[in-house]
Amino acid sequence: MLINYQLGEEIRDYIKNVLSKETMVLDSEGTCIAATKSEHNGEKIDLNDVGTREDHYIKKLDGKEQVVIPLKYQGEAVAYLVIGDKQKALEYTSLIKSFAELLISQYFENNKPNMDTTDQFVVKLLFNATPNDLPFYQSEAKILGYDLNSKRIAIVVHLRGFWEDSLLSINQPSFERDEVIKNTKRKIETAVNGFFSKNNDIIIAYLGNDKFVVFKAVDEGDEENIKKFLSRSFKSIFEPLQGFKIHSVSVGYSNAYKSITGLISSFREADLSLELGQKLWGDNKSYYFGDLGILSLLGEGDRSKNLQFANKMLGRMKNEDLCKTLECFFDHNLNLTETAEKMSVHRNTVIYRLNQISKILGADPRVFEQAMSIKIALLIKRLFV
């Protein structure tokens, strides 16, 4: 979910009036969309070491400690403030954060498109349903004509740029936004059914932001073939969805399940595989839940406990060369020679650095069992921080 430049400038101007200090407003991907110094506009800031659980973080930029404040909407960080005056920013953090998030909430609520019956049903089921509600949703699904006796694979489609560039065009009235959503759903249906023509029973819903979900019915014995095609033929199926307003198309897909609870389970698998896949390997790919392996356990587990484990394991690793060596060592399957060649250093330098890493972590990345714990900690940091 991205905020636009106009909102960024409104937030920047508010902070400037309160603090009279240098400020940058970043979108959720770390790109500066508004700054008191115009030369910073468009600049990309690395936010990998900035979380979203705290009200603020201290980050060194251009040799100076600055305050980074995550701004959230519906629990998701949609923007970040970077304020140069540490003392003043910390003094006014609560006020700044509250007002900026109010502006963001008003922005999204005012631009929220109308959802059709299917969209409303699916969103309520996936995000608001409790176990006690399921009989009600079961009945509603029958009224809407959905066959819940069929096994269905969930396909979550992320069209990056859809919300900002397709729905939030300046002065675009609400009914035109509705048509954009309908047309996009038709394109997704054509893309999926055009490739899998044997069974055209699908449920498509817009989830908000840049995401759509497809629940595709699967005939007996066809599940494995469909999952293979979703992987091998990703470009052929989904590339037609990309256009000048859609910057990338990424897909997560699940195993097949039946019933109302099956829709929920399949969506969770597909959405998790998309989330983790994009963070680790980027956009314009498809990700299958069954390929995640141990990552699926990390994603479905208690993320705060996972982060505590990762911080305990890696918290003392501050040296940049050691961190890069460790990552490279794992990327090259614990091979010393390949690591040295990739980093353009002598093999003995790699050995020396690994010895240092072992002392710092209290675990040796050259010992398989200990390497597994370190690797899991690194993955957690990459996924959830």
Side-chain angles (χ1 to χ4, degrees), residues 9-27:
E9 290 171 352
E10 189 175 351
I11 295 172
R12 175 205 62 196
D13 292 343
Y14 164 73
I15 305 301
K16 184 180 178 181
N17 289 335
V18 172
L19 300 182
S20 300
K21 296 295 179 182
E22 184 178 345
T23 302
M24 288 192 291
V25 181
L26 314 180
D27 66 19

Side-chain angles (χ1 to χ4, degrees), residues 115-126 128-129 133-148 203 260 263:
M115 290 186 164
D116 66 19
T117 305
T118 296
D119 298 340
Q120 292 178 40
F121 168 78
V122 170
V123 168
K124 286 189 297 181
L125 172 67
L126 298 181
N128 300 319
D133 295 331
L134 293 182
F136 165 77
Y137 285 106
Q138 182 95 21
S139 300
E140 190 172 349
K142 289 182 180 178
I143 293 171
L144 292 171
Y146 305 146
D147 180 8
L148 299 182
I203 302 168
I260 198 77
L263 294 182

Side-chain angles (χ1 to χ4, degrees), residues 138-381:
Q138 182 95 21
S139 300
E140 190 172 349
K142 289 182 180 178
I143 293 171
L144 292 171
Y146 305 146
D147 180 8
L148 299 182
N149 293 317
S150 296
K151 291 177 72 176
R152 293 180 185 271
I153 285 175
I155 306 168
V156 177
V157 182
H158 183 197
L159 305 179
R160 191 178 294 279
F162 178 78
W163 168 269
E164 184 177 24
D165 295 332
S166 293
L167 291 190
L168 295 187
S169 300
I170 297 173
N171 297 325
Q172 189 177 51
S174 178
F175 72 88
E176 289 189 9
R177 294 192 191 117
D178 298 344
E179 283 303 310
V180 171
I181 293 171
K182 288 178 185 176
N183 288 336
T184 305
K185 287 166 72 173
R186 280 195 287 268
K187 288 179 182 178
I188 293 173
E189 181 176 5
T190 299
V192 174
N193 279 342
F195 205 87
F196 301 107
S197 56
K198 187 175 180 182
N199 187 335
N200 290 333
D201 179 7
I202 61 175
I203 302 168
I204 301 179
Y206 174 55
L207 301 178
N209 305 330
D210 290 346
K211 282 186 179 179
F212 293 78
V213 64
V214 177
F215 294 103
K216 170 158 180 55
V218 176
D219 290 332
E220 200 66 38
D222 279 351
E223 179 178 351
E224 292 307 313
N225 285 332
I226 289 175
K227 288 188 291 195
K228 286 178 184 176
F229 280 123
L230 284 170
S231 174
R232 294 174 183 172
S233 304
F234 165 77
K235 286 190 175 181
S236 299
I237 301 169
F238 296 104
E239 208 167 54
L241 300 177
Q242 195 162 338
F244 77 98
K245 289 188 177 181
I246 303 299
H247 313 311
S248 66
V249 181
S250 305
V251 166
Y253 59 99
S254 69
N255 295 301
Y257 299 99
K258 288 183 180 181
S259 78
I260 198 77
T261 56
L263 294 182
I264 298 172
S265 298
S266 61
F267 168 74
R268 287 177 178 170
E269 287 189 1
D271 197 46
L272 181 63
S273 61
L274 175 65
E275 177 193 354
L276 302 189
Q278 283 182 301
K279 285 185 176 179
L280 290 174
W281 299 293
D283 292 331
N284 291 314
K285 295 180 177 67
S286 64
Y287 300 105
Y288 166 49
F289 180 79
D291 291 335
L292 293 180
I294 195 171
L295 294 180
S296 64
L297 300 178
L298 297 178
E300 291 180 322
D302 186 323
R303 297 193 178 191
S304 63
K305 288 184 178 179
N306 287 338
L307 278 169
Q308 286 176 8
F309 163 76
N311 289 331
K312 185 177 179 180
M313 171 66 73
L314 302 171
R316 296 187 299 275
M317 280 279 289
K318 306 295 185 184
N319 184 286
E320 189 175 344
D321 286 337
L322 295 184
C323 290
K324 288 181 179 178
T325 301
L326 183 61
E327 291 273 8
C328 189
F329 186 59
F330 281 125
D331 288 344
H332 290 84
N333 299 313
L334 314 186
N335 187 298
L336 288 169
T337 303
E338 290 182 9
T339 302
E341 290 175 354
K342 180 65 177 179
M343 300 193 72
S344 300
V345 298
H346 194 277
R347 190 173 184 272
N348 288 341
T349 301
V350 176
I351 293 172
Y352 172 77
R353 290 179 181 176
L354 292 175
N355 287 337
Q356 294 298 107
I357 290 168
S358 299
K359 290 177 183 177
I360 293 170
L361 300 183
D364 192 336
R366 290 161 294 192
V367 177
F368 180 76
E369 292 81 2
Q370 297 173 44
M372 284 294 293
S373 295
I374 299 170
K375 179 64 174 177
I376 290 170
L378 287 170
L379 287 172
I380 290 169
K381 295 286 277 188

